[in-house]
Amino acid sequence: MAAAAAQSGEAQPNRPISNILIVIAMQTEAQPVVNKFELIEDPHSPFPQGVPWVRYHGKYKDLNINLIWPGKDPSSGVDSVGTISSALVTYAAIQALQPDLIINAGTAGGFKARGASVGDIFIASDCAFHDRRIPIPVFDLYGVGSRKAFETPNLVKELDLKVAKLSTGDSLDMTEQDESSITANDATVKDMEGAAVAYVADLLKVPAIFVKAVTDIIDGDKPTAEEFLQNLAAVTAALDLAVEKVINFINGKSISEL
Ligand code: SAH
């Protein structure tokens, strides 16, 4: 049995990718992808008993696809969005499934001043946090936790996707302090999971890419929560299409060909 690191994509840059882990925070975002690839829910998921995390899996062309959704929060019943759940499921799924590549797909807010429109699909070049302020030298950098996503120059060119920096925090709304941190992060899109997934992927040395569809314009005139809910269904359809194209591009290629 090879060691975990030897099975990961980084250790085998020239072998065709076979195992993909898709991490999606919300059921509304996950369901169309589950349907599209005819994934089935694993009744004996590799996760600890009692956690709400759900594993869907299936084979598509040459790929084993695993889609992990953190499920409904046991006490409130809503999707377990945010950094804690996404970091936990990413960790547990890497340990259990040894993916070659992680795709974190989801919705995001976008800044129109930086060229984002509702329905746009972005691939993140970098992920950082905007709500972890630790004003002590070096701890400040740890808090921001900026990490490069795995670079996919051929994929973004072929699929004609926009590339921009992503900023992550645990709130859907944005305080003034968040806003200045997002500006300092040079981000065009804002979500609640990306940098957390990037942190775990970096710890365990699995390449990760981030596909984010814009549901709401942060620097526009509509309240974020309202605009988010209004656009969620339509934008999710666009996200689903983008994920399908990304998966088709990845099929048959090695990590180094992305
Ligand atoms: N009111 C929503 C809450 C979803 S939280 C509901 O009940 O359905 C928002 C989710 O969409 C998170 O997973 C986050 O990553 C993403 N998202 C979309 N727009 C966002 C924004 N402007 N800021 C932060 N996250 C956003």
Side-chain angles (χ1 to χ4, degrees):
M1 184 73 188
Q7 294 180 10
S8 78
E10 193 183 70
Q12 305 180 352
N14 299 316
R15 287 239 195 111
I17 296 165
S18 72
N19 238 345
I20 291 195
L21 171 62
I22 307 175
V23 178
I24 300 191
M26 295 184 66
Q27 189 166 36
T28 313
E29 298 162 343
Q31 200 59 53
V33 180
V34 167
N35 296 345
K36 178 85 74 184
F37 294 107
E38 298 179 1
L39 305 181
I40 51 163
E41 186 174 337
D42 180 356
H44 310 287
S45 98
F47 305 132
Q49 211 176 1
V51 299
W53 314 340
V54 182
R55 172 193 180 219
Y56 298 95
H57 66 109
K59 202 150 168 75
Y60 175 75
K61 298 187 177 172
D62 300 334
L63 299 169
N64 291 311
I65 300 183
N66 286 282
L67 187 154
I68 308 296
W69 166 54
K72 300 282 182 189
D73 174 60
S75 46
S76 64
V78 301
D79 286 312
S80 308
V81 299
T83 60
I84 295 177
S85 299
S86 58
L88 285 171
V89 293
T90 303
Y91 174 79
I94 293 173
Q95 291 291 88
L97 307 166
Q98 302 292 337
D100 299 314
L101 177 73
I102 297 171
I103 302 173
N104 172 220
T107 56
F111 289 90
K112 70 168 191 270
R114 311 198 57 130
S117 310
V118 168
D120 279 354
I121 308 288
F122 282 91
I123 296 286
S125 56
D126 305 74
C127 306
F129 294 98
H130 56 253
D131 60 357
R132 306 201 314 177
R133 293 175 299 277
I134 315 172
I136 302 170
V138 193
F139 280 96
D140 52 359
L141 296 176
Y142 164 76
V144 170
S146 181
R147 282 180 176 78
K148 286 218 157 300
F150 185 73
E151 276 185 67
T152 56
N154 300 323
L155 183 146
V156 295
K157 195 168 163 214
E158 172 91 10
L159 303 184
D160 197 20
L161 295 166
K162 293 187 173 188
V163 179
K165 293 183 181 174
L166 171 68
S167 195
T168 299
D170 269 306
S171 300
L172 181 64
D173 67 4
M174 182 174 70
T175 64
E176 271 174 33
Q177 269 181 323
D178 287 346
E179 186 167 11
S180 49
S181 302
I182 292 170
T183 305
N185 287 345
D186 194 29
T188 303
V189 275
K190 165 180 180 281
D191 81 341
M192 297 173 63
E193 293 86 17
V197 173
Y199 170 74
V200 180
D202 186 26
L203 270 185
L204 300 181
K205 300 291 168 244
V206 183
I209 65 173
F210 303 83
V211 185
K212 298 286 160 173
V214 175
T215 38
D216 54 279
I217 295 301
I218 301 156
D219 51 347
D221 40 24
K222 294 190 190 142
T224 295
E226 214 172 279
E227 193 178 19
F228 169 81
L229 290 174
Q230 215 169 52
N231 294 326
L232 183 59
V235 170
T236 296
L239 175 66
D240 167 37
L241 202 64
V243 170
E244 189 187 359
K245 286 185 187 162
V246 167
I247 297 280
N248 277 314
F249 180 84
I250 286 170
N251 182 63
K253 292 193 179 63
S254 63
I255 285 289
S256 60
E257 289 173 312
L258 302 181

